[in-house]
Amino acid sequence: MSKLDLPRADRAGQGVSSRAPSMDGALDEIPRPREDGGRRTVPNRAGRSRRRRAVLGTLAGTVVVLFFVTVLLGSYTVTVPDFFRLLAGEQIPGASFIVMEHKLPRAVIGLLVGLAFGLSGSIFQTMLRNPLASPDIIGISYGASASAVTAIVVFGAAGLAVSAAAMAGALVVAVGIYAMSYRSATVSGAAGSRLILVGIGFAAVLQAVVSYLLTRTDIRTAQGALVWLNGSLNSSNWDRAVVLVAGLAVLVMAVALLARSLRGLEMGDDTAAALGVRVAPARLGLLVVAVLLAAVATAAAGPVAFIAFLSGPIARRLLGGAASLPAAALVGAVIALAADFAAANLIPMYLTSGTTLPVGVVTGALGAPFLLWLLVSTNRRGQGG
């Protein structure tokens, strides 16, 4: 069983199994009774485990296929034997530079950015028990964007300086959101719905700041800032890839350590507290890790829209409603790699007469209809429809 798999949160009105949930296994699923023809039955644990393994295996295979498609195909194609010759250090005129210095680092960063956004969004959504709770929606990405645009427009920054500004902005905004949503009178500290509403308010203000800055600069600077704001892998290089790998190595270990607390928080603050979880510190720790995951991904590729928002709900659908951090991370990687290949190769070939698009344009086009559907379906359930 994967250490990062999370059980589905109990719904209001449903009971729980007579077996008390154990905190020994950080991510052991809790069997939940369900209605089945008027009789209450416990879902088959072995069946859920087989489904989870099948889904994770399929997603991992899809990621591998998309990775090699991104590297080997497109405007410049490379055969598999030539690719492995390049990896072995052999110099092939033309191919050595295009593959090793452009296509391969682009694919690596796309993969890692998808993993980071997928993990970040799933942590937020699981912790706050709300599918709208993702860095795209609650202002984290806008904090990174406003800080990066300020660095570009006001200070003339470029490259790693813009990435550093984006990370700093995301962290500062996250601290502000948490501070304004903190309520010491409750066991939960920063209540989920309050944090989301405060984050949406921050997002609106920061979007206005970005718009103002873009109107006060020259057209060339504004154009460069807009490319970054849409989220793009065009400037991928090995320096960014190394920083991203190092950051994710630390943050993924932190996620594994905090997964037990996340499992408890998904069942509700009262249940988590009864199970021995220190709710406020655990929530703060998870918030910091989720923000850092979004920040390092944004620093590498810009605020690629909706990957964090889409990954968790899609993973839940594939797993029959159970939350799984590994599945969400793999879904994020699938979305990032597929969207980048479409933006860099398929859309220019068939729709834009050779003009490539930032990857964020494609993910935004996918995410906006999903957001509308989620809002409509949530409203219908709230009305009993």
Side-chain angles (χ1 to χ4, degrees), residues 23 260-262 264-265 269 271-280 282:
M23 294 304 289
R260 180 180 301 178
S261 298
L262 182 61
L265 290 173
D269 293 345
T271 302
L275 292 171
V277 176
R278 299 176 61 191
V279 175

Side-chain angles (χ1 to χ4, degrees), residues 15-297:
V16 296
S17 168
S18 59
R19 183 176 68 85
S22 171
M23 294 304 289
D24 294 334
L27 298 169
D28 288 343
E29 287 194 291
I30 300 175
R32 284 175 174 75
R34 64 187 178 201
E35 296 291 341
D36 186 9
R39 296 176 300 170
R40 300 185 74 82
T41 62
V42 178
N44 185 277
R45 188 184 186 95
R48 289 198 310 270
S49 180
R50 285 194 299 269
R51 177 172 182 170
R52 182 171 57 253
R53 288 195 298 267
V55 169
L56 290 175
T58 302
L59 287 172
T62 304
V63 169
V64 172
V65 170
L66 286 171
F67 182 87
F68 282 102
V69 165
T70 301
V71 175
L72 301 180
L73 303 181
S75 58
Y76 187 91
T77 60
V78 181
T79 64
V80 174
D82 283 346
F83 175 67
F84 285 105
R85 287 165 57 195
L86 291 170
L87 288 181
E90 184 174 339
Q91 294 295 316
I92 301 177
S96 296
F97 176 78
I98 294 173
V99 174
M100 301 304 295
E101 299 299 328
H102 175 66
K103 300 189 76 173
L104 188 57
R106 182 186 185 114
V108 169
I109 290 181
L111 169 64
L112 296 176
V113 163
L115 292 172
F117 275 129
L119 270 178
S120 176
S122 186
I123 290 172
F124 272 113
Q125 291 162 343
T126 303
M127 176 178 64
L128 301 178
R129 295 186 293 167
N130 191 319
L132 293 177
S134 79
D136 315 89
I137 307 297
I138 64 173
I140 306 301
S141 296
Y142 282 106
S145 299
S147 181
V149 171
T150 300
I152 294 171
V153 172
V154 178
F155 301 104
L160 291 177
V162 176
S163 299
M167 288 190 64
L171 290 171
V172 169
V173 169
V175 170
I177 292 171
Y178 186 85
M180 292 190 66
S181 60
Y182 185 83
R183 297 187 299 178
S184 60
T186 68
V187 69
S188 64
S193 59
R194 184 179 177 88
L195 189 147
I196 293 170
L197 291 173
V198 171
I200 292 173
F202 267 82
V205 172
L206 293 169
Q207 188 174 19
V209 171
V210 169
S211 299
Y212 172 77
L213 289 172
L214 292 178
T215 63
R216 305 303 297 177
T217 188
D218 61 90
I219 187 66
R220 292 185 61 185
T221 303
Q223 185 177 12
L226 282 172
V227 171
W228 190 90
L229 286 171
N230 283 321
S232 175
L233 297 175
N234 292 337
S235 59
S236 299
N237 55 54
W238 287 117
D239 291 337
R240 292 189 179 187
V242 169
V243 173
L244 192 54
V245 168
L248 285 181
V250 175
L251 292 172
V252 168
M253 288 190 292
V255 171
L257 293 174
L258 292 169
R260 180 180 301 178
S261 298
L262 182 61
R263 173 181 177 272
L265 290 173
E266 191 193 10
M267 295 185 289
D269 293 345
D270 293 337
T271 302
L275 292 171
V277 176
R278 299 176 61 191
V279 175
R283 191 186 298 276
L284 179 60
L286 287 164
L287 177 66
V288 170
V289 172
V291 168
L292 287 174
L293 283 166
V296 295

